[in-house]
Each structure stands twice: as C-alpha cells, then as structure tokens.
Amino acid sequence: MAISKQYLKSKPVCKVTFSILAEDAKKVSVVGSFNEWNAKAAPLKKLKNGTFKGVLDLDKDNSYEFKYIVDGAFVNDDAADAYAWNEFAAADNSVVKV
C-alpha cells in the first residue's frame, strides 16, 4: 500500500494517489472524510500488476480519515500518515495529512 502526494503551486490542492495491492479483488474503493465515506465516489482502477490505484484532489492543510473497501471489507493503509480511533466503527481509521 502506498500514498503519494503532489502539491500544486497554482492552487491550494494536493493530488493524492492512493494505491493498494489486491490481486484477487474484484472491486476496490477509497472512502473517507473527503467523500462522506461513499464507496461509489472514489473507485480505484485495477492495474495489470494487481494494484488498484486512484488520484484525488484534496484541500491542503487538512487531515482526512480514510479506509479502502476491498470486495466489501474495510482495510487500513499501512503507509498512512497516522491512525485515528473511530468510536462508530470501534476501529482505527487511516489518516492522510496534506
């Protein structure tokens, strides 16, 4: 799993690339506070090597909680910037800081 960030000079936005290796998965999405945890809002595209990848524009100077949904199962990113406890889910969420 990996997160990469590209800050834009022209706008207060960061292009964040989310990627997760899930060779046997049929469908993967990234959900979080940036898209109201909507699985349909950010589906990831499967690459030939089995990695699912997608890019989102996130506002700078913010932190966002997120998880991947891999064939219906919630998965944290082991390369997250931090983790935050979520009372509703009774589990940690990954955090990306931009």
Side-chain angles (χ1 to χ4, degrees), residues 65 67 76 82-87 91-95:
E65 292 186 28
K67 282 189 180 267
N76 273 325
Y83 298 95
W85 180 255
N86 180 289
E87 287 292 328
D92 281 335
N93 287 334
S94 300
V95 175

Side-chain angles (χ1 to χ4, degrees), residues 10-53:
S10 59
K11 296 189 254 182
V13 168
C14 179
K15 289 191 170 291
V16 180
T17 302
F18 294 91
S19 60
I20 178 171
L21 180 61
E23 294 176 285
D24 297 329
K26 302 266 187 266
K27 191 160 101 173
V28 177
S29 297
V30 62
V31 297
S33 54
F34 45 76
N35 65 7
E36 298 179 2
W37 300 90
N38 181 351
K40 294 179 181 173
L44 302 183
K45 183 178 178 182
K46 188 170 188 176
L47 306 178
K48 290 180 182 179
N49 67 0
T51 299
F52 283 80
K53 192 175 194 179

Side-chain angles (χ1 to χ4, degrees), residues 50-67:
T51 299
F52 283 80
K53 192 175 194 179
V55 179
L56 298 176
D57 290 348
L58 302 180
D59 292 334
K60 270 178 46 176
D61 302 322
N62 284 306
S63 292
Y64 301 92
E65 292 186 28
F66 75 97
K67 282 189 180 267

